[in-house]
């Protein structure tokens, strides 16, 4: 079994509790910078519903820690 890590982003949550356009734009900037930190080799599963899933195989323990800091969770794959 190899281990992958997944991050699920729900579109509904991107704008948080925004009440103004400025707050919404701020949320988009935050999400954009967060997504930029996701490794380029991550696979993206976007089925057109409310969820986008990023999946990546960590290279080592430090990579796992970094991915965990971004919100990724371990997934066992057979």
């Amino acid at each position: 079994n190899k281990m992958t890590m997944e991050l699920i982003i729900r579109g509904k949550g991107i704008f948080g509790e925004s009440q103004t356009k400025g707050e919404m734009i701020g949320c988009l900037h935050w999400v954009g910078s967060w997504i930029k930190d996701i490794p380029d080799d991550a696979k993206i599963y976007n089925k057109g519903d409310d969820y986008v899933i990023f999946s990546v195989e960590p290279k080592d323990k430090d990579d796992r820690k970094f991915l965990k800091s971004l919100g990724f969770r371990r997934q066992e794959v057979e």
Side-chain angles (χ1 to χ4, degrees):
N1 290 358
K2 59 183 174 179
M3 196 259 297
T4 63
M5 295 183 77
E6 288 185 351
L7 171 68
I8 300 172
I9 296 177
R10 186 167 187 199
K12 181 179 180 180
I14 288 176
F15 293 108
E17 302 292 323
S18 296
Q19 298 295 312
T20 66
K21 288 183 356 182
E23 290 174 347
M24 292 175 83
I25 291 167
C27 288
L28 290 174
H29 284 291
W30 181 84
V31 170
S33 64
W34 179 41
I35 289 172
K36 284 180 185 177
D37 286 341
I38 293 172
D40 291 337
D41 62 342
K43 293 178 183 163
I44 301 171
Y45 301 94
N46 183 354
K47 297 177 183 160
D49 58 8
D50 196 33
Y51 299 92
V52 175
I53 300 170
F54 291 87
S55 178
V56 67
E57 290 182 37
K59 295 167 188 62
D60 54 32
K61 187 177 178 179
D62 289 335
D63 203 22
R64 275 195 304 276
K65 285 182 184 179
F66 173 71
L67 292 168
K68 191 173 180 180
S69 76
L70 294 175
F72 279 77
R73 298 191 185 275
R74 293 173 65 138
Q75 293 292 328
E76 290 292 329
V77 177
E78 293 188 25

